[in-house]
Amino acid sequence: MDTASLSGKELAAAINADTKERAAALTAAGAAPVLALVVANDDPASAWYVGSLRKAAERLGIACERIDLGADASVEAIRAELTTRSADLVTDAIMLQTPLPAGVHLDDVSTAIAAAKDVDGVSPLSLGLLASGLDGFVPATSEAVVELLKHHGIALEGRHVAVVGRSNIVGKPLAQLLLAENATVTVAHSRTADLAAVTAAADIVVAAAGRIGLVTGKHVREGAVVIDVGTNEDADGRIVGDVDAESVRGRAAGLSPVPGGVGPVTTALLMRHVVAAAEKSRA
């Protein structure tokens, strides 16, 4: 079986074109949209992603300020920065980059982000709005998975989707988005008993556990679609996904590449969220 490459580059380009136009309109009306990117780690994969965000913002006419708190930042220091930025009238949007320092959990600090500026949808309030079907910012990576599937004409209604990963920033919100599309969703993880049996029963498998090569050919039934959300650094310093792509090719009908699949769409959606936040704040 030929396995189609489910690239996200074309979709990201279309989203970015719209975002750039809207950002230019805001700039012409007074000031460029402003994103505060708060970082408290020294993780290589995170640094790669932060760099891609800053480059994307620059290309689209969005002002992006990186605030580096250090890999040993305390809960109090992170909350203080997020609280300050939430109250700052110049800052339109806030993103808190993960992973966080040892002993600091996302729930400990994300409540300090104002919902109107929580463009990556990480706070409990934003997640609650999503679960309730109410208006709010959706986690960009989760949204990117759904938009990428739609872009490639892959139906979700009535399909069985196995999401491997249960984080609050990808797995759980993705399950909510898929349910809203009338998919039947199974949320699995690295400790699921007989993970291969669970995923092999699905029409669509989404790997979002943050473990290199967790999903292999044995986890995928012939003709299924596989979306790889992973961005991990391997022993050679390359960014690789959660899927063992070589063993999946020839079995899956479609596979998203890493990099070039979910990643560019995630970045594009996040930038669109920044502009949307700016538009709302100035309305």
Side-chain angles (χ1 to χ4, degrees):
M1 172 180 290
D2 290 333
T3 300
S5 178
L6 306 178
S7 173
K9 294 181 180 179
E10 183 179 297
L11 173 58
I15 295 170
N16 284 334
D18 175 68
T19 299
K20 186 173 184 177
E21 183 177 330
R22 290 162 61 183
L26 287 168
T27 301
V34 176
L35 167 65
L37 195 55
V38 180
V39 182
N41 66 63
D42 54 8
D43 180 73
S46 173
W48 175 85
Y49 182 53
V50 168
S52 71
L53 286 178
R54 296 185 74 183
K55 291 176 183 176
E58 182 179 345
R59 288 194 303 268
L60 299 174
I62 295 170
C64 182
E65 181 182 357
R66 171 175 173 155
I67 302 98
D68 197 340
L69 300 179
D72 58 352
S74 66
V75 169
E76 292 75 19
I78 297 171
R79 286 190 62 89
E81 183 62 38
L82 296 174
T83 299
T84 297
R85 294 289 169 167
S86 291
D88 178 25
L89 296 179
V90 174
T91 301
D92 295 301
I94 301 168
M95 181 179 174
L96 174 63
Q97 181 61 25
T98 56
L100 296 170
V104 179
H105 303 287
L106 190 58
D107 288 347
D108 296 332
V109 293
S110 61
T111 53
I113 306 174
K117 299 184 180 185
D118 184 20
V119 289
D120 208 15
V122 298
S123 76
L125 177 55
S126 295
L127 293 170
L129 291 170
L130 171 60
S132 302
L134 300 175
D135 186 40
F137 287 113
V138 173
T141 303
S142 301
E143 186 181 10
V145 172
V146 175
E147 293 301 314
L148 185 63
L149 287 165
K150 289 181 177 180
H151 174 71
H152 286 283
I154 299 166
L156 290 170
E157 185 167 351
R159 309 291 293 281
H160 179 197
V161 184
V163 178
V164 184
R166 52 183 169 174
S167 72
N168 284 341
I169 57 176
V170 183
K172 290 177 183 177
L174 175 57
Q176 296 292 336
L177 291 174
L178 291 167
L179 288 171
E181 297 291 336
N182 297 316
T184 298
V185 184
T186 300
V187 178
H189 43 82
S190 60
R191 297 186 184 181
T192 295
D194 200 354
L195 178 62
V198 173
T199 57
D203 302 304
I204 301 168
V205 178
V206 181
R211 290 182 56 179
I212 296 174
L214 177 64
V215 173
T216 67
K218 72 177 183 179
H219 294 83
V220 180
R221 70 164 178 80
E222 190 168 354
V225 170
V226 181
I227 302 295
D228 193 349
V229 179
T231 52
N232 314 289
E233 185 179 31
D234 69 7
D236 297 321
R238 298 174 303 175
I239 298 298
V240 298
D242 290 358
V243 176
D244 179 12
E246 290 305 313
S247 67
V248 168
R249 290 193 186 98
R251 289 189 59 81
L255 170 65
S256 67
V258 175
V262 173
V265 182
T266 298
T267 301
L269 289 171
L270 182 59
M271 294 301 128
R272 184 166 75 180
H273 290 180
V274 173
V275 169
E279 289 171 339
K280 289 180 181 179
S281 71
R282 302 173 196 184

